[in-house]
């Protein structure tokens, strides 16, 4: 018989491991939908993604049951073959605010479909989502560590030839609640301001100075964007002054 210490190495198998569907839950912006799409594509499934906050009614789910239950796609290429489809139902917790029969219709879809179904939600604690979990393999995503996200973001920045301090990235990750989409959006926004504030430059430039720069274009070789900025210093007067000089 194995000793108690040896049995601690083993964990019990997850519930509903042979279920027809998977329920992926976790906070928003950490890559649940992206992960599910990549797993399906790597398994050579054709991904059919639906947002259940839009398709939440019982009638819509029933129509999907009739059309997608055993759906296969004929793919043409070097080797023509029948390709099975994977159904991704995103934001399942959004169904709880719509038609009350929508979630039960989704459960019926899981029971009759021959294709794998991936359900994704943010609020795992919702009562109706827990009812859905009884028919799915339950996989829970957790928020990544700040340092892990910061290292990945820094690597992305380096591929764009941008330098960033790891401590500053970790502060942004903490402020965004480990939401990767918000982190990337923040970095794109602040990265676009590294060249200086163009608005302040326009405010400090006078009308006559702007005209002088426009007429000395052959010396300074201004870009189109720079010439447009000078035009909008005073877009009423500058065209008149240009016309008079010509």
């Amino acid at each position: 018989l194995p000793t108690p210490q040896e049995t601690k190495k083993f964990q019990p198998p997850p519930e509903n491991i042979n279920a027809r569907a998977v329920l992926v839950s976790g906070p928003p912006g950490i890559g649940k939908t992206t992960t599910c799409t990549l797993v399906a594509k790597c398994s050579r499934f054709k991904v059919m993604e639906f947002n259940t906050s839009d398709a939440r009614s019982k009638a819509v789910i029933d129509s999907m049951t009739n059309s997608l239950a055993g759906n296969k796609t004929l793919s043409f290429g070097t080797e023509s073959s029948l390709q099975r489809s994977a159904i991704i139902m995103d934001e399942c917790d959004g169904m709880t605010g719509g038609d009350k029969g929508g979630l039960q219709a989704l459960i019926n879809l899981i029971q009759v479909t021959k294709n794998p179904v991936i359900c994704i939600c943010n609020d795992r604690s919702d009562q109706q989502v827990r009812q859905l979990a009884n028919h799915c393999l339950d996989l829970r995503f957790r928020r990544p560590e700040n340092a892990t996200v910061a290292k990945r973001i820094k690597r992305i920045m380096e591929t764009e030839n941008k330098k960033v301090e790891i401590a500053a990235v970790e502060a942004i990750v903490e402020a965004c609640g480990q939401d990767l989409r918000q982190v990337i959006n923040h970095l794109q926004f602040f990265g676009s301001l590294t060249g200086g504030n163009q608005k302040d430059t326009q405010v400090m430039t006078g009308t006559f100075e702007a005209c002088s720069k426009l007429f000395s274009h052959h010396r300074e070789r201004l870009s189109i964007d720079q010439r447009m900025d000078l035009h909008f210093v005073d877009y009423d007067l500058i065209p008149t002054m240009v016309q008079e000089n010509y």
Side-chain angles (χ1 to χ4, degrees):
L1 293 176
T3 62
Q5 295 296 329
E6 292 177 347
T7 58
K8 289 184 178 180
K9 299 179 182 179
F10 301 97
Q11 296 181 355
E15 297 181 1
N16 296 336
I17 191 171
N18 295 319
R20 295 174 181 264
V22 176
L23 177 62
V24 178
S25 59
I30 61 173
K32 299 188 299 296
T33 304
T34 302
T35 301
C36 294
T37 303
L38 289 175
V39 169
K41 289 184 176 180
C42 290
S43 302
R44 297 186 178 180
F45 281 93
K46 178 179 176 57
V47 177
M48 306 183 71
E49 183 177 349
F50 301 92
N51 192 312
T52 52
S53 61
D54 298 328
R56 67 177 66 183
S57 66
K58 181 178 184 299
V60 174
I61 301 298
D62 286 340
S63 64
M64 292 170 56
T65 303
N66 297 330
S67 59
L68 301 178
N71 189 33
K72 291 185 179 181
T73 303
L74 181 61
S75 61
F76 297 94
T78 55
E79 296 181 1
S80 299
S81 62
L82 285 174
Q83 188 177 22
R84 294 187 62 190
S85 300
I87 304 171
I88 296 180
M89 307 295 289
D90 204 354
E91 298 184 12
C92 288
D93 45 344
M95 299 183 69
T96 59
D99 187 354
K100 293 184 178 179
L103 197 61
Q104 183 59 46
L106 177 58
I107 294 174
N108 295 337
L109 169 64
I110 292 172
Q111 292 174 344
V112 301
T113 184
K114 296 179 182 178
N115 295 330
V117 179
I118 304 175
C119 302
I120 305 174
C121 71
N122 297 328
D123 187 7
R124 174 62 178 78
S125 61
D126 187 271
Q127 182 178 358
Q128 296 191 39
V129 174
R130 293 201 302 267
Q131 180 183 356
L132 175 64
N134 295 329
H135 304 271
C136 304
L137 172 62
D138 194 5
L139 299 179
R140 306 189 185 190
F141 281 38
R142 61 180 180 83
R143 297 181 185 275
E145 299 292 336
N146 292 344
T148 303
V149 178
K151 290 179 181 178
R152 181 59 181 166
I153 294 297
K154 183 179 180 181
R155 188 178 303 174
I156 295 175
M157 298 290 288
E158 289 175 350
T159 59
E160 298 292 334
N161 296 323
K162 301 287 186 179
K163 293 183 179 180
V164 64
E165 294 182 2
I166 195 71
V169 178
E170 288 187 8
I172 295 175
V173 173
E174 180 68 26
C176 294
Q178 295 81 33
D179 190 326
L180 300 181
R181 290 175 298 193
Q182 288 193 25
V183 172
I184 294 175
N185 288 337
H186 276 68
L187 288 172
Q188 286 180 329
F189 173 73
F190 289 113
S192 64
L193 302 179
T194 55
N197 194 330
Q198 298 296 326
K199 182 177 179 180
D200 292 342
T201 304
Q202 293 180 31
V203 171
M204 291 186 296
T205 303
T207 305
F208 294 98
E209 184 181 358
C211 287
S212 176
K213 289 183 178 181
L214 282 172
F215 285 115
S216 62
H217 168 64
H218 63 284
R219 294 196 302 268
E220 296 188 20
R221 306 300 300 174
L222 301 176
S223 64
I224 293 293
D225 291 337
Q226 289 174 323
R227 281 180 276 174
M228 290 294 292
D229 290 340
L230 292 173
H231 164 73
F232 283 105
V233 168
D234 191 337
Y235 55 86
D236 287 329
L237 185 58
I238 286 182
T240 304
M241 297 181 69
V242 171
Q243 181 182 4
E244 289 293 325
N245 279 276
Y246 271 126

